[in-house]
Amino acid sequence: MGYGTEEYGFTHHSFQEYLAAEQIRNTGQCRLLIDHYGERWWREPTLLALGLNNPSIIEEFMELVLNSPHFEREPGLVLDAIGDSIVKPAGPFIKAIFDKSLTVSARQNVIRVLGIIKSQKAIESLRHVVGEDSTEIAGSAYEVLKDLGEVKGLVKPQEEKPASIIWDRDASEMVLVPAGNFLY
């Protein structure tokens, strides 16, 4: 459809999104996808660009997105891209799962992605993280491995409970009493 003497457009958005994705992939503009991460119009071009192959830009994109605040706040696009893509790069996520400078929620998102990737290296990394001191991270990894049927030989991480807490209402100290019968 002509918009002017030198400007044309496509009335069907899917074709327009595909052409945008092709151009982004062919010119290696991963930074452009990161700059527009989370914007509604850019979702389909991003998924298409990451799904295209020869050459694939998905690994470069994943390395960039892991170092941005987008992944922690809105992991859905990454989860969808990994789920839809033929190429499922585990490397950036395996590196990130051991990066303790990342927030707990970002690392939990990494665990979810590794559960979608399901490669042997991804599973080995998740199994290693189950032994970590952080019960939040270890528990998340255990749950993903349980869903994959890969918990054989692992012990489920238990949430540590404090010996006592201070009650907000009157600042009195409260002591944890284990469940079960007791003599009063």
Side-chain angles (χ1 to χ4, degrees):
M1 184 170 148
Y3 296 132
T5 57
E6 295 184 18
E7 188 176 347
Y8 295 89
F10 299 93
T11 57
H12 198 283
H13 284 290
S14 294
F15 191 61
Q16 186 176 359
E17 292 163 345
Y18 171 75
L19 291 176
E22 271 286 343
Q23 179 67 13
I24 290 165
R25 186 211 40 159
N26 290 337
T27 57
Q29 295 183 48
C30 285
R31 176 57 54 195
L32 180 65
L33 297 177
I34 298 296
D35 292 343
H36 293 284
Y37 191 100
E39 293 178 26
R40 187 173 168 207
W41 189 91
W42 284 87
R43 182 175 176 74
E44 280 307 311
T46 300
L47 290 172
L48 285 167
L50 297 177
L52 295 170
N53 208 0
N54 201 18
S56 174
I57 61 169
I58 194 167
E59 189 159 357
E60 180 184 351
F61 175 85
M62 294 306 168
E63 287 173 0
L64 289 171
V65 82
L66 282 167
N67 292 310
S68 76
H70 303 298
F71 180 66
E72 179 181 2
R73 288 192 318 257
E74 196 176 324
L77 180 65
V78 171
L79 293 165
D80 290 345
I82 291 291
D84 293 345
S85 181
I86 294 169
V87 177
K88 298 184 185 320
F93 297 100
I94 290 171
K95 182 180 174 187
I97 199 170
F98 297 110
D99 184 355
K100 294 186 180 183
S101 70
L102 291 175
T103 64
V104 169
S105 61
R107 289 180 73 204
Q108 286 174 320
N109 290 339
V110 167
I111 289 167
R112 291 170 58 197
V113 171
L114 288 171
I116 293 171
I117 292 173
K118 300 177 193 172
S119 71
Q120 192 58 42
K121 285 185 178 185
I123 290 170
E124 288 171 13
S125 298
L126 289 169
R127 290 179 68 83
H128 183 77
V129 171
V130 169
E132 196 170 293
D133 291 340
S134 167
T135 53
E136 289 175 296
I137 298 298
S140 295
Y142 183 87
E143 290 304 317
V144 167
L145 288 167
K146 185 171 118 183
D147 291 344
L148 296 174
E150 295 284 345
V151 291
K152 185 177 181 182
L154 294 176
V155 175
K156 182 177 182 178
Q158 298 297 318
E159 185 179 333
E160 293 180 28
K161 295 186 173 129
S164 67
I165 61 167
I166 304 299
W167 195 24
D168 292 336
R169 188 174 286 170
D170 66 359
S172 61
E173 182 178 15
M174 301 185 83
V175 179
L176 177 67
V177 176
N181 297 328
F182 70 98
L183 183 61
Y184 177 72

